[in-house]
Structure formats: C-alpha cells, structure tokens
Amino acid sequence: MEFVKYEVADRVGYVTLNRPDKRNALNYQVVAELKEVFKQASEDSTAKVIVLRANGQAFCAGADLAYLQQLQKNTYEENLEDSSHLKELFYQIYTLNKVVIAQIEGHAIAGGCGLATVCDFSFTVPEAKFGYTEVRIGFIPAIVKVFLLRKIGEMKSKQLLLTGELIDANEAVNLGLINEVVDKDKIVGRVKEFTNMLVEKNSGQSMAYTKQMIAAVPSMTLEDGLHYAAEMNAKARASKDCQKGIASFLNKEPITW
C-alpha cells in the first residue's frame, strides 16, 4: 500500500490515510487502497472495531486536482465506472461488519467529508472545517447525499449540500454530522477511551447485527421492517454471544468479550 496504512493495537484496527503532501486527497488509487484495507479489516479476527484517521494537517481534502482534470477527459462509461468505485467504498464502510470511528484532526472537505459521513462515529478537533463544496465547482455531491440524508435528514442536508459552505466543528456536531469535538492534545486519548469501551463491554457480533439492521431497515416498509427485526431477533438468540451474555447475566458473572 502506498497511500493507506493498516495496523492493529489492543483489538482496534487503525486505517490511516497517508498522503499528507496532497492533503490526503482522493484519487482512484487511494480509493482502491482504502477498499482493500477495509476488506482486510473486516476479515481480521484480531480487530474488533476500526478507526479511520489521517497523517498530516488535513483529514481529507476530497478529490485532488490532477484527478479532477483527468475526469474531464473521461467518457461517460469511464466516469460511471469511477463513480461506482467511490460508491463501493462508501457502502463498504457504511455496511462494514465492524464499527468504524473517524478520528478527524484536520479539514474534511467534499469526498473527505463523505468519508466522515459514512463512519458510525466521528470525533474531531475544534480547528477542523467540514463541507460539501461540490456545487461551487459545478459538480454534485451525488453519492454522499444518499448517506447524509439518512444521517441528518432532508432540511439539514439541503443546508450543507445546496450552499456548499464550510462549517466549523461545533456546527457539525449541532447538525448531527459529528459526534464530539475534542481538543487536539486529547483526541487520541478520547478515541482510545471510546474504542476500549466498545471492545471491552460490547459483543462484536451484536454490534455487527445492529449495524446491519440500521442500514437495512430505513428502506423497508413498516411491516417488512418488523418482520426482518423478528427474524434477526430469533437469529441473535441462537448465537454464541447471546448465550454467553445471558448466562453471565443470570449467574451474575462478569462478561469478557
């Protein structure tokens, strides 16, 4: 991997964007490497939760200039394939079988803000700016819109997507885009504290099932959603984690996950 690093520590998998000279901007190769690393992370039994972070001053500045120039020369078919490439990454993170936490220590713009959007939790430093600036260069925030509407609703999504304005970290929290603002010197420790809580207190299988259902239910009718929920409920009851958890609860024994 040239632009993405992967490592595991204390049952947490760390996916690190490592293109600081280009503000961790996205191109075809970066997206391909992220897809490969997240696939590896999803299959890694030593990693229970995943943290997405970045080296350098920016979290991710969106598509790089050379990449944008190349796109202008593409055919429709080439652009569709490239757009599908990014769509697959966002969907992969959104539906990954493990919780994904964004550790944002710099600006997250356009596609970079999209990465933050599809993560399950996001922690940021106060200095970071967020925004979907596509409309200001004659482009559209097409793919991220699908996820953003689910995350913060139509009114707030319109505010961000149609204005193209950058917002600060506190406003991102108020809009529901980001979970928490943490000072620069404390964010690593805060994310570590949060990941430790998930790793030590929660069943990995239960988190995976719950995340799967959160992704699936909004597109279902009420009746279909409840039917699906009943099926998943029955499936979870038969799992080893549920049997272990209930036995520990009834016997008043601590659970080691």
Side-chain angles (χ1 to χ4, degrees):
M1 296 291 173
E2 184 177 356
F3 298 128
V4 181
K5 295 181 177 181
Y6 178 67
E7 58 190 312
V8 179
D10 299 324
R11 296 198 288 171
V12 179
Y14 291 92
V15 177
T16 307
L17 288 163
N18 189 38
R19 203 185 181 206
D21 56 317
K22 297 293 185 180
R23 297 170 58 81
N24 296 307
L26 301 173
N27 60 19
Y28 193 93
Q29 182 179 347
V30 174
V31 172
E33 290 187 14
L34 281 169
K35 286 166 70 174
E36 178 60 32
V37 167
F38 273 106
K39 181 177 184 295
Q40 179 183 348
S42 72
E43 298 170 350
D44 188 351
S45 62
T46 67
K48 190 171 177 180
V49 300
I50 310 300
V51 172
L52 175 62
R53 60 189 183 180
N55 288 331
Q57 295 185 342
F59 178 71
C60 178
D64 68 22
L65 294 178
Y67 187 50
L68 288 173
Q69 290 173 338
Q70 178 60 44
L71 295 182
Q72 294 181 323
K73 303 174 183 178
N74 286 356
T75 64
Y76 170 81
E77 288 74 19
E78 289 170 335
N79 277 323
L80 180 58
E81 191 278 332
D82 185 83
S83 180
S84 297
H85 186 48
L86 181 63
K87 173 205 71 176
E88 290 164 2
L89 172 63
F90 283 2
Y91 182 78
Q92 179 186 23
I93 296 172
Y94 186 73
T95 61
L96 202 77
N97 61 343
K98 297 174 184 179
V99 172
V100 183
I101 301 149
Q103 180 178 309
I104 302 166
E105 299 184 60
H107 299 336
I109 311 298
C113 201
L115 284 175
T117 301
V118 296
C119 289
D120 302 302
F121 299 94
S122 294
F123 295 81
T124 185
V125 296
E127 299 83 3
K129 299 288 186 182
F130 299 86
Y132 309 90
T133 55
E134 288 88 345
V135 294
R136 298 200 167 185
I137 61 168
F139 195 39
I140 59 172
I143 297 169
V144 70
K145 166 183 56 62
V146 177
F147 300 97
L148 189 65
L149 283 167
R150 284 178 164 227
K151 191 163 196 171
I152 66 173
E154 182 176 319
M155 184 178 71
K156 293 177 181 178
S157 293
K158 282 183 176 180
Q159 177 182 334
L160 294 173
L161 300 178
L162 294 177
T163 66
E165 292 181 345
L166 297 181
I167 60 173
D168 63 23
N170 287 322
E171 186 171 0
V173 170
N174 290 337
L175 289 173
L177 181 63
I178 299 297
N179 293 91
E180 191 173 324
V181 180
V182 187
D183 288 341
K184 183 80 170 178
D185 61 343
K186 296 178 181 177
I187 189 167
V188 173
R190 175 66 182 116
V191 170
K192 181 63 175 174
E193 176 187 40
F194 187 75
T195 58
N196 283 346
M197 181 271 292
L198 296 179
V199 167
E200 295 171 4
K201 294 187 176 182
N202 293 355
S203 155
Q205 186 178 69
S206 295
M207 290 191 292
Y209 281 168
T210 302
K211 181 174 173 178
Q212 175 186 335
M213 293 186 68
I214 289 171
V217 167
S219 62
M220 299 179 182
T221 65
L222 176 61
E223 184 177 352
D224 288 345
L226 288 170
H227 180 70
Y228 171 62
E231 290 182 334
M232 290 297 292
N233 189 309
K235 182 178 179 180
R237 293 182 190 190
S239 69
K240 291 182 179 179
D241 275 16
C242 187
Q243 293 170 3
K244 173 183 175 180
I246 291 176
S248 296
F249 177 77
L250 293 176
N251 295 326
K252 298 183 179 179
E253 298 172 346
I255 307 175
T256 301
W257 293 115

